[in-house]
């Protein structure tokens, strides 16, 4: 989750005093980088994935599963045995927000050849195996997006979902002040609790997350929880919603991300824009988080939950009070979809009102940066820094980029445009961030390979997916709804080949701005977008398949890729379930389920146990995975009671 500095974190009041300093020097740092590498060309394609994991512990006797707060120790050992011993170690490990989380990436980025697609899954398996080997009896490493937790425990505020157990501590002095989420579940590195505390202080109140509850046959209507002991909660919680009040309910969720190095800044900007339109589609396809705080919700994706969980905007900025102490109204949380396209071709589709820091914008223009890039950076820089370490205030702007990264890395958007670090041989990169993590290495590889292949096809065929950005935002809303993959209708561009041959460097002749954008797109189902529909849309999978046919690929790799694409294809058509749909069915068929939207400890236990068995290939799950071929069999898991 970004930059980790060691040192003494400053309070919000102190950080705020330095906010202008951080912004000023952040921009100078960006300018140094930009001027040094703006003309870099011919960097080769490199890419890598990031998988976030949760550590869980099963109590088979009492049929209970808890999140283990040992991420820091596990990480330390993984790094010690891995990258610190051998710089070529095949895996890299990083901390994540939860003390029960770790993040794994390949040790070296993947390159541009097709055969690399055939190594992704093995690398993910290796990661799972490596981390699992450090766990204690009955513990497991899970790739679940959102931990369902248990309502009974949480509702009473009794310690329950972590091991060791801790009581939430909703008093002054705590980082979250949450009624439900103990501060001990936050990673012990000071960055994470400081972020949590400073977001709350900047906002002026606890964060508020209200997720619509899924109304089952016996769910009370209206569904109302009362919090008489907490005035803030009583005011903030909404009827018919699951109320949550801590950053951990959002940033404590896991995702699957992919970062690409482009050959030049203009290719990176083109990819950033093109992939931004794909975000809601792939997010809906990857939906894996239907349960929150022990209840069945009416959403399938984590996105809006995380967005609310780090929303540091004041009441003024959110438009609830007239502007007095703040500079702007801000329409979105720091964790949200992108607000402007970056390539020239995107310009005419930039139809969202963009709040920018005008001074910074002018300064960037004066330095020779074009309007689109200048407004992008000036928009990121309307935010305050959320954490600052005393030892890291005064930096060498020509050779360091911490202040730039400070603002950049706390703008958690669907896409991230990443300038190279100072003095490195890394090129311009873009990060694709909307996907939910899947249960198995097979699925995670499939989603990653699908997205990377799509970038190859976008670049080779010069495809154009652009539609007005406001429509992409509408798609983001639809994508999170329950069963969006089958029921949602999404705005998508009809003619994706229209850009002609000049999309990257300029815009094709056909792109005359008087052309009515409205005729360029229409509402489509995900099935149509992914699989195509005669006379309407060619479909992304058919396009990928024809690209594959034109490429020289060894048989084994081709076979793997075709399997991955099959999974995506079948998830899009509904022949296979998304993880979210499968979890819903599992809970609704559980003998203890009372059709009241409540997930008990025991139901939670059987669900996570099943997820772990599927991940370790100890059982089949054709409704989720189909009869797919798998290459390696695990020898078994410590956590399977039948072992
Ligand atoms: N866990 C966050 C998510 O689910 C992402 C954190 C990060 O940026 O690494 O989107
Ligand atoms: Mg992460």
């Amino acid at each position: 989750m970004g930059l980790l500095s060691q040192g003494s974190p400053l309070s919000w009041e102190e950080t705020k005093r330095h906010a202008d300093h951080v912004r000023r020097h952040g921009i100078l740092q960006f300018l140094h980088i930009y001027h040094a590498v703006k003309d870099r060309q011919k960097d080769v394609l490199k890419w890598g994935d990031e998988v976030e994991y949760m550590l869980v512990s099963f109590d088979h006797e009492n049929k209970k599963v808890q999140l283990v707060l040992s991420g820091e120790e596990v990480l330390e050992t993984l790094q010690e045995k891995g990258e610190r011993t051998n710089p070529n170690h095949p895996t890299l490990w990083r901390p994540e927000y939860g003390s029960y989380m770790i993040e794994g990436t390949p040790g070296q980025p993947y390159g541009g050849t097709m055969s690399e697609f055939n190594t992704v899954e093995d690398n993910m398996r290796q990661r799972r195996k490596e981390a699992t080997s450090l766990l204690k009896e009955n513990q497991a490493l899970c790739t679940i997006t959102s931990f369902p937790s248990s309502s009974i425990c949480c509702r009473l505020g009794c310690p329950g979902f972590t091991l060791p157990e801790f009581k939430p501590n909703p008093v002054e002095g705590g980082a979250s002040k949450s009624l439900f989420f103990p501060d001990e579940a936050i990673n012990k590195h000071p960055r994470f609790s400081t972020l949590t505390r400073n977001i709350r202080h900047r906002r002026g109140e606890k964060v508020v997350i209200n997720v619509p509850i899924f109304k089952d046959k016996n769910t009370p209507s209206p569904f109302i929880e009362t919090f008489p002991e907490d005035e803030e909660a009583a005011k903030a919680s909404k009827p018919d919603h699951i109320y949550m009040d801590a950053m951990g309910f959002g940033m404590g969720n896991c995702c699957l991300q992919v970062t690409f190095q482009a050959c030049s800044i203009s290719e990176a900007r083109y990819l950033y824009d093109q992939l931004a339109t794909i975000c809601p589609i792939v997010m809906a396809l990857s939906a894996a988080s239907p349960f929150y705080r022990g209840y069945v919700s009416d959403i399938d994706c984590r996105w809006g939950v995380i967005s609310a969980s780090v929303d540091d905007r004041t009441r003024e900025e959110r438009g609830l009070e007239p502007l007095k102490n703040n500079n702007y109204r801000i329409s979105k949380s720091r964790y949200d979809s992108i607000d402007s396209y970056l390539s020239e071709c995107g310009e005419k589709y930039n139809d969202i009102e963009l709040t920018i820091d005008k001074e910074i914008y002018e300064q960037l223009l004066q330095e020779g940066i074009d309007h689109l890039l200048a407004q992008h950076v000036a928009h990121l820089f309307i935010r305050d820094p959320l954490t600052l370490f005393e030892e890291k205030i005064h930096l060498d702007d020509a050779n360091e980029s911490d202040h730039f990264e400070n603002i950049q890395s706390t703008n958690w958007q669907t896409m991230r445009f990443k300038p190279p670090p100072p003095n490195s041989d890394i090129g311009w990169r873009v990060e694709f961030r909307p996907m939910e993590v899947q249960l198995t290495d097979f699925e995670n590889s499939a989603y990653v390979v699908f997205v990377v292949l799509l970038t190859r096809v976008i670049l080779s065929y010069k495809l154009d997916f652009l539609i007005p950005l406001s429509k992409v935002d509408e798609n983001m809303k639809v994508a999170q709804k329950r069963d969006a993959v089958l029921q949602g209708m999404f705005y998508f561009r009809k003619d994706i080949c229209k850009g002609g041959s000049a999309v990257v460097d300029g815009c094709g002749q056909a792109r005359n701005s008087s052309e009515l954008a409205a005729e360029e797109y229409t509402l489509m189902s995900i099935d149509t977008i992914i699989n195509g529909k005669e006379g309407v849309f060619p479909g992304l999978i058919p396009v990928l398949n024809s690209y594959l046919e034109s490429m020289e690929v060894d048989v084994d790799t081709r076979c793997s890729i075709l399997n991955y694409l099959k999974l995506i294809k079948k998830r899009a058509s509904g022949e296979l379930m998304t993880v979210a749909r499968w979890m819903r069915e599992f809970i609704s068929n559980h003998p203890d389920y009372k059709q009241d939207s409540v997930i008990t400890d025991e139901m939670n236990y059987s669900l996570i146990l099943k997820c772990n068995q599927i991940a370790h290939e100890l059982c089949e799950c054709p409704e989720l995975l189909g009869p797919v071929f798998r290459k390696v069999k695990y020898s078994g898991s410590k956590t399977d009671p039948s072992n």
Side-chain angles (χ1 to χ4, degrees):
M1 211 182 87
L3 186 77
L4 286 191
S5 305
Q6 292 295 342
S8 336
L10 299 180
S11 71
W12 168 240
E13 283 308 318
E14 293 161 323
T15 304
K16 190 170 150 181
R17 270 201 295 279
H18 296 288
D20 282 328
H21 169 90
V22 170
R23 270 189 291 265
R24 207 164 43 242
H25 290 275
I27 290 297
L28 292 178
Q29 293 166 7
F30 171 73
L31 284 168
H32 272 288
I33 295 173
Y34 179 80
H35 289 311
V37 294
K38 63 179 190 309
D39 296 324
R40 247 175 103 138
Q41 297 282 340
K42 304 224 166 50
D43 278 317
V44 294
L45 168 73
K46 283 189 187 162
W47 60 276
D49 66 86
E50 287 160 59
V51 178
E52 295 173 345
Y53 302 87
M54 287 187 192
L55 309 173
V56 306
S57 175
F58 295 101
D59 174 350
H60 297 302
E61 206 173 308
N62 297 304
K63 300 215 181 312
K64 209 172 148 152
V65 60
Q66 293 170 311
L67 293 168
V68 196
L69 306 183
S70 62
E72 298 85 353
E73 290 99 84
V74 171
L75 177 71
E76 173 60 28
T77 314
L78 283 168
Q79 291 183 331
E80 192 51 47
K81 289 189 167 173
E83 61 191 274
R84 278 189 233 140
T85 311
N86 169 14
N88 294 320
H89 192 76
T91 61
L92 270 183
W93 296 94
R94 292 293 171 260
E96 251 306 331
Y97 181 84
S99 179
Y100 51 85
M101 291 165 81
I102 50 173
E103 178 180 293
T105 65
Q108 275 76 40
Y110 299 111
T113 59
M114 295 296 279
S115 58
E116 310 249 353
F117 290 126
N118 211 12
T119 65
V120 182
E121 191 173 339
D122 284 342
N123 192 278
M124 286 187 186
R125 284 167 187 274
Q126 162 117 11
R127 281 178 241 168
R128 199 183 284 274
K129 213 160 110 190
E130 228 177 70
T132 302
S133 74
L134 299 179
L135 302 181
K136 302 208 172 91
E137 192 71 21
N138 294 326
Q139 297 186 350
L141 185 79
C142 282
T143 38
I144 41 177
T145 294
S146 175
F147 189 72
S149 174
S150 154
S151 61
I152 293 102
C153 272
C154 288
R155 203 161 35 202
L156 299 180
C158 86
F161 74 94
T162 63
L163 184 73
E165 301 191 347
F166 288 102
K167 275 204 173 83
N169 199 2
V171 294
E172 211 43 69
S176 317
K177 279 184 71 186
S178 171
L179 292 178
F180 321 104
F181 195 94
D183 282 349
E184 288 83 352
I186 304 173
N187 189 308
K188 290 178 194 66
H189 188 286
R191 167 177 163 88
F192 299 100
S193 51
T194 307
L195 266 176
T196 311
R197 180 179 287 110
N198 288 357
I199 284 175
R200 183 166 57 77
H201 282 159
R202 188 184 189 287
R203 180 178 164 92
E205 56 192 44
K206 285 201 289 188
V207 294
V208 175
I209 309 161
N210 278 300
V211 172
I213 189 137
F214 170 68
K215 286 281 181 75
D216 212 339
K217 231 169 66 196
N218 301 323
T219 312
S221 202
F223 166 84
I224 294 176
E225 286 185 295
T226 53
F227 306 98
E229 72 281 19
D230 187 290
E231 209 180 307
E232 249 183 285
K235 252 205 257 153
S237 59
K238 289 207 257 173
D240 287 332
H241 286 73
I242 307 159
Y243 167 70
M244 292 169 281
D245 63 350
M247 181 168 168
F249 283 111
M251 281 297 182
N253 293 331
C254 293
C255 68
L256 174 67
Q257 296 163 333
V258 197
T259 300
F260 311 92
Q261 172 174 287
C263 75
S264 63
I265 185 172
S266 81
E267 186 181 280
R269 293 168 68 161
Y270 169 59
L271 271 184
Y272 176 92
D273 288 2
Q274 297 300 327
L275 287 177
T277 68
I278 300 296
C279 286
I281 312 303
V282 178
M283 184 172 72
L285 265 171
S286 71
S289 49
F291 309 137
Y292 297 91
R293 235 191 81 231
Y295 293 108
V296 182
S297 83
D298 212 29
I299 60 169
D300 274 0
C301 293
R302 78 201 188 289
W303 194 262
V305 177
I306 309 189
S307 179
S309 84
V310 291
D311 189 354
D312 71 334
R313 290 172 303 159
T314 63
R315 293 179 64 79
E316 292 179 20
E317 287 168 338
R318 279 177 281 144
L320 301 173
E321 283 171 18
L323 281 177
K324 204 171 88 201
N325 301 311
N326 293 119
N327 296 332
Y328 331 91
R329 290 243 193 280
I330 302 179
S331 61
K332 288 180 187 172
S333 162
R334 304 174 77 115
Y335 185 106
D336 219 309
S337 46
I338 66 157
D339 291 302
S340 67
Y341 288 124
L342 270 178
S343 67
E344 267 172 59
C345 306
E347 179 145 29
K348 76 167 183 171
Y349 299 106
N350 274 336
D351 66 339
I352 298 180
E353 213 187 28
L354 199 66
T355 312
I356 57 169
D357 182 315
K358 292 218 173 64
E359 262 173 53
I360 290 179
Y361 174 73
E362 291 300 334
Q363 181 189 359
L364 295 172
L365 288 189
Q366 266 165 26
E367 289 280 343
I369 292 181
D370 61 280
H371 159 69
L372 287 168
L373 184 55
Q375 72 170 9
H376 167 79
V377 176
H379 176 56
L380 299 181
F381 273 67
I382 59 172
R383 311 286 176 173
D384 279 337
L386 289 172
T387 58
L388 189 60
F389 290 83
E390 210 177 300
E391 299 79 357
K392 287 278 190 181
I393 299 176
H394 299 287
L395 302 174
D396 168 7
D397 292 335
N399 294 297
E400 289 175 280
S401 65
D402 293 41
H403 290 327
F404 173 73
E405 284 299 329
N406 188 329
I407 305 289
Q408 158 96 331
S409 72
T410 50
N411 270 280
W412 296 279
Q413 299 181 333
T414 36
M415 296 295 304
R416 188 176 282 158
F417 176 67
K418 301 170 84 156
N423 310 319
S424 80
D425 53 9
I426 299 175
W428 293 89
R429 290 167 299 164
V430 294
E431 185 179 356
F432 184 78
R433 305 172 42 84
M435 290 191 284
E436 311 233 306
V437 77
Q438 309 293 300
L439 298 182
T440 63
D441 300 321
F442 168 72
E443 292 160 282
N444 286 317
S445 305
Y447 282 80
V448 164
V449 167
F450 172 75
V451 173
V452 183
L453 256 187
L454 190 60
T455 63
R456 299 307 90 198
V457 170
I458 291 173
L459 293 174
S460 308
Y461 295 170
K462 310 217 163 37
L463 299 183
D464 181 9
F465 296 140
L466 300 190
I467 56 173
L469 210 41
S470 62
K471 295 294 169 199
V472 178
D473 270 1
E474 284 182 49
N475 287 351
M476 281 299 289
K477 293 207 177 79
V478 174
Q480 299 173 54
K481 293 190 177 156
R482 177 167 47 88
D483 285 332
V485 72
L486 299 183
Q487 286 172 28
M489 293 299 279
F490 296 82
Y491 292 102
F492 210 79
R493 195 174 173 93
K494 288 187 278 192
D495 182 0
I496 56 175
C497 300
K498 205 169 158 200
S501 55
V503 178
V504 180
D505 306 313
C507 298
Q509 288 304 308
R511 299 306 206 65
N512 125 23
S513 58
S514 65
E515 195 174 17
L516 260 188
E519 288 165 14
E520 295 174 346
Y521 57 87
T522 185
L523 281 168
M524 300 183 200
S525 68
I526 291 211
D527 189 24
T528 303
I529 296 169
I530 296 293
N531 296 320
K533 192 171 169 184
E534 186 101 38
V536 178
F537 186 70
L540 301 180
I541 293 272
V543 176
L544 293 186
N545 277 330
S546 78
Y547 172 78
L548 261 184
E549 273 162 33
S550 73
M551 296 296 286
E552 226 168 276
V553 191
D554 65 88
V555 180
D556 198 41
T557 303
R558 187 180 298 273
C559 188
S560 301
I561 297 177
L562 289 176
N563 254 306
Y564 296 147
L565 296 186
K566 223 182 271 172
L567 180 83
I568 303 295
K569 175 184 158 141
K570 292 184 175 181
R571 289 257 169 105
S573 70
E575 195 181 322
L576 293 177
M577 294 178 186
T578 59
V579 176
R581 173 43 50 203
W582 175 83
M583 286 182 164
R584 287 180 188 279
E585 307 269 316
F586 184 93
I587 289 298
S588 95
N589 293 325
H590 194 283
D592 291 352
Y593 182 59
K594 299 204 177 58
Q595 293 173 292
D596 57 357
S597 319
V598 172
I599 298 167
T600 63
D601 269 351
E602 197 168 326
M603 286 151 63
N604 195 23
Y605 163 82
S606 17
L607 174 67
I608 304 298
L609 189 65
K610 183 81 178 175
C611 290
N612 189 47
Q613 289 168 340
I614 294 171
H616 285 94
E617 294 169 5
L618 297 166
C619 63
E620 298 281 312
C621 191
E623 11 5 328
L624 191 66
L625 305 173
V628 288
F629 110 128
R630 306 208 186 85
K631 288 196 293 189
V632 196
K633 283 263 174 212
Y634 270 106
S635 50
S637 153
K638 293 179 180 174
T639 57
D640 187 48
S642 62
N643 264 353

